């Protein structure tokens, strides 16, 4: 599998292109601010043919370039219905301070073709099979995508649900600490240790590394571990 990733925009949100190899169709994940030209450069360099754009959630730093990219390559966008409104009303997903940075005005528009992501769905796109897991907590419509490499490796595109050493914030509109806890316990902790995690911000990691060192996951594991009898 070919994975091209780069941070984009003021908040350095990671954008990814995934394909079976050079000269193949690809999917684009989370095209944020200033992502149009780096995407075009990767498409040219690796001779890729974009087939779809996937959104892990609807925050502007992950979808800022969604409509331009979809229009440039005439491809559809995929997003969970819980976050679809953010595509046209990005300020509703920001804190008051963040909204003020944009003068209280910040306009985006939907691509021409938008498909809905459902929990448990398997997407066959660009020769890849991606399983959708709904992971609310950072936003109402957050999702992660699971896929496998040809040699049996496993990859998780975790968006802002899970980072190396941390998790996404839950204090923004649509966020929930309670739902994030359930997501981490029920959706993230059961994943295999060897699974590579490509997060929405920061460096890549693995589930095993996070299980051992991420304080949020360690706290959950300790809370749910069986108590040994005397």
């Amino acid at each position: 599998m070919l994975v091209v990733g780069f941070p984009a925009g003021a908040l350095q949100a990671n954008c990814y292109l995934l394909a079976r190899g050079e000269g193949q169709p690809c999917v684009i994940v989370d095209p944020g601010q200033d992502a149009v030209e780096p995407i075009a450069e990767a498409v040219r360099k690796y001779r890729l043919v974009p087939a779809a754009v996937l959104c892990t959630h609807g925050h502007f730093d992950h979808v800022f370039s969604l409509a331009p990219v979809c229009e440039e390559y005439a491809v559809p966008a995929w997003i969970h219905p819980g976050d679809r409104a953010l595509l046209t009303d990005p300020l509703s997903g920001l804190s008051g301070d963040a909204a003020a940075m944009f003068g209280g005005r910040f306009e985006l528009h939907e691509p021409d073709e938008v498909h809905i992501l459902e929990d448990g769905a398997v997407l066959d796109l660009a020769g890849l099979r991606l399983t959708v897991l709904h992971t609310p907590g950072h936003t109402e419509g957050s999702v992660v995508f699971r896929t496998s490499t040809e040699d049996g490796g496993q990859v998780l595109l975790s968006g802002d649900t899970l980072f190396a050493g941390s998790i996404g914030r839950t204090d923004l509109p649509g966020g929930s600490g309670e739902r994030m806890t359930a997501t981490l316990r029920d959706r993230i902790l059961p994943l295999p240790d060897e699974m590579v995690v490509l997060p929405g911000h920061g460096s890549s990691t693995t589930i095993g590394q996070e299980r051992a060192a991420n304080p949020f996951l360690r706290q959950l594991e300790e809370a749910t571990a069986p108590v040994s009898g005397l």
Side-chain angles (χ1 to χ4, degrees), residues 173-199:
S176 166
E178 183 178 355
R179 297 193 78 183
M180 177 65 89
T181 295
T183 282
L184 296 175
R185 182 188 64 235
D186 302 334
R187 292 299 176 95
I188 300 301
L189 279 176
L191 298 174
D193 284 349
E194 64 273 13
M195 177 171 278
V196 174
V197 178
L198 303 178

Side-chain angles (χ1 to χ4, degrees), residues 74 99 158 204:
S158 66
S204 62

Side-chain angles (χ1 to χ4, degrees), residues 13 19 34 62 70 83 91 102 117 154:
D34 304 324
H62 293 259
C70 289
D83 277 12
L91 288 178
F102 298 96
L117 295 169
Q154 298 191 60

Side-chain angles (χ1 to χ4, degrees), residues 93-132:
L94 301 179
S95 65
D97 290 343
M101 291 175 59
F102 298 96
R105 295 189 61 188
F106 186 36
E107 297 181 359
L108 296 178
H109 67 275
E110 279 197 2
D112 292 336
E113 185 177 357
V114 178
H115 296 305
I116 294 303
L117 295 169
E118 296 183 355
D119 182 46
V122 178
L123 308 179
D124 288 304
L125 298 170
L128 305 170
R129 289 177 60 84
L130 300 112
T131 300
V132 180

Side-chain angles (χ1 to χ4, degrees), residues 144-170:
V144 299
F145 300 102
R146 293 185 61 172
T147 190
S148 299
T149 64
E150 291 184 353
D151 61 2
Q154 298 191 60
V155 177
L156 185 77
L157 293 137
S158 66
D160 285 5
T161 295
L162 179 67
F163 304 134
S166 191
I167 60 172
R169 59 189 295 182
T170 60

